[in-house]
């Protein structure tokens, strides 16, 4: 059965970097069975109501960042969408009392295409982008994922794209390979609780996790983790596929939920 994944999308520069993290992204794409479609919840699409791209056409590549090298703005990821899969996602959520709407015109932001460019460089798999509502609690995020867990049996890959540690105030852009111990301590706490499937502690992470407020000032990057985890509620098994850091504290974490 296709797993669900939490994948850190890092800096937009990841799209053109050849580092251990991007090599593991490529390896992950090679190791997973070719999915029928990919559903990506992106931290860079925030909305009050869950919204999903719904088109059968090639989707625009959104360059939703500034101040980066020209080559990043020339990248395209010409993946088509799937109206049928988007409608299936919408129905599953509504059947669980969760409102969802479709959007035929939005493209794929860098929270989607930066990671997929490494995992599936041919861009030949339909992609449905999904928004994130950071005002929802961890429990509610988890419930969204659980409502969609049956998609895995249909060979639809569910990815939550964000970052567990994402705080620009604590990033050192002159330090590519240094790891800040506090960032790793926060992630290690998360990983330990996830492997135990301790949702009680995880849902109370702001109070219990070390350095939680420093690590996660922008909830839209962190909370998608619970969507990916919720999609694994049927088996409740997890593994760490990759853990590293860039700029001191920017977490590059891949978690797989089977």
């Amino acid at each position: 059965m296709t797993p669900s994944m939490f994948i850190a999308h890092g800096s937009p520069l990841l799209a053109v970097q050849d580092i251990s993290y991007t090599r593991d992204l490529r390896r992950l794409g090679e190791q997973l069975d070719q999915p029928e479609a990919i559903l990506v919840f992106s931290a860079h699409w925030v909305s009050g109501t869950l919204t999903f791209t719904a088109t059968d056409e090639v989707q625009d590549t959104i360059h939703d960042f500034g101040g980066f090298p020209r080559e990043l703005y020339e990248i395209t990821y010409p993946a088509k969408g799937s109206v049928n899969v988007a409608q299936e996602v919408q129905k599953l959520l509504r059947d669980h009392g969760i409102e969802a709407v479709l959007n035929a015109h939005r493209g794929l932001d860098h929270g989607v295409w930066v990671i997929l460019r490494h995992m599936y460089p041919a861009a030949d798999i339909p992609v449905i982008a999904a928004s994130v509502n950071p005002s929802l609690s961890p429990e509610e995020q988890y419930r969204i994922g659980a409502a969609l867990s049956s998609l895995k049996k249909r060979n639809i890959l569910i990815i939550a794209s964000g970052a567990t540690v994402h705080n620009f105030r604590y990033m050192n852009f002159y330090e590519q390979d240094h790891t800040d111990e506090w960032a790793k301590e926060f992630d290690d706490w998360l990983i330990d609780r996830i492997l135990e499937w301790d949702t009680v502690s995880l849902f109370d992470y702001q109070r219990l996790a070390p350095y939680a407020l420093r690590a996660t000032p922008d909830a839209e990057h962190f909370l998608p983790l619970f969507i990916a985890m919720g999609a694994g509620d049927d088996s409740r098994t997890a593994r760490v596929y990759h853990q590293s850091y860039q700029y001191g504290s920017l977490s590059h974490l891949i978690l797989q939920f089977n």
Side-chain angles (χ1 to χ4, degrees):
M1 185 167 62
T2 303
S4 58
M5 311 288 306
F6 175 82
I7 301 178
H9 59 250
S11 159
L13 286 170
L14 277 185
V16 295
Q17 289 177 327
D18 181 18
I19 58 176
S20 65
Y21 185 55
T22 57
R23 289 192 289 273
D24 266 0
L25 284 172
R26 291 193 289 272
R27 190 175 298 115
L28 177 62
E30 293 166 357
Q31 291 175 350
L32 293 173
D33 292 335
Q34 181 94 340
E36 177 184 325
I38 307 169
L39 172 63
V40 186
F41 288 86
S42 174
H44 288 277
W45 185 9
V46 173
S47 65
T49 301
L50 291 179
T51 308
F52 301 85
T53 57
T55 178
D56 291 320
E57 305 302 319
V58 172
Q59 300 171 91
D60 291 338
T61 303
I62 304 173
H63 302 92
D64 51 332
F65 44 78
F68 287 89
R70 177 181 295 275
E71 63 180 314
L72 287 185
Y73 302 93
E74 296 172 348
I75 292 173
T76 61
Y77 190 80
K80 294 183 177 180
S82 171
V83 172
N84 287 340
V85 173
Q87 290 174 339
E88 182 177 356
V89 170
Q90 183 184 43
K91 183 178 186 304
L92 282 171
L93 289 170
R94 287 181 169 177
D95 287 348
H96 286 80
I98 302 168
E99 183 53 34
V101 298
L102 305 181
N103 183 319
H105 305 294
R106 182 185 167 89
L108 306 178
D109 62 61
H110 82 273
V112 179
W113 61 260
V114 164
I115 57 177
L116 294 186
R117 187 168 190 260
H118 291 288
M119 293 176 67
Y120 301 106
D124 57 354
I125 303 169
V127 176
I128 297 88
S131 69
V132 171
N133 181 355
S135 68
L136 300 178
S137 68
E139 295 94 328
E140 291 169 310
Q141 309 284 354
Y142 188 97
R143 193 162 68 90
I144 291 167
L148 299 175
S149 62
S150 64
L151 294 174
K152 299 187 300 179
K153 298 176 183 177
R154 290 249 293 101
N155 195 26
I156 295 173
L157 177 61
I158 301 171
I159 296 175
S161 172
T164 50
V165 183
H166 185 271
N167 188 334
F168 287 108
R169 290 183 59 193
Y170 290 92
M171 293 181 200
N172 183 346
F173 294 100
Y174 300 99
E175 290 279 359
Q176 285 285 332
D177 301 319
H178 173 73
T179 299
D180 289 343
E181 285 303 315
W182 68 266
K184 186 175 184 300
E185 187 175 343
F186 174 76
D187 274 351
D188 286 348
W189 182 91
L190 281 179
I191 290 166
D192 179 71
R193 294 300 84 214
I194 287 169
L195 295 179
E196 294 295 325
W197 215 270
D198 179 7
T199 54
V200 173
S201 296
L202 287 164
F203 292 164
D204 197 19
Y205 75 93
Q206 288 186 313
R207 188 174 64 88
L208 298 178
Y211 304 105
L213 297 181
R214 182 189 298 185
T216 64
D218 43 5
E220 76 278 356
H221 274 76
F222 179 74
L223 290 174
L225 165 67
F226 294 109
I227 298 177
M229 189 177 183
D233 184 72
D234 47 358
S235 63
R236 299 195 171 195
T237 59
R239 64 172 289 216
V240 179
Y241 192 90
H242 182 98
Q243 182 182 8
S244 64
Y245 299 84
Q246 196 172 37
Y247 313 129
S249 64
L250 180 59
S251 177
H252 288 167
L253 186 63
I254 300 176
L255 297 168
Q256 180 172 322
F257 303 97
N258 295 316

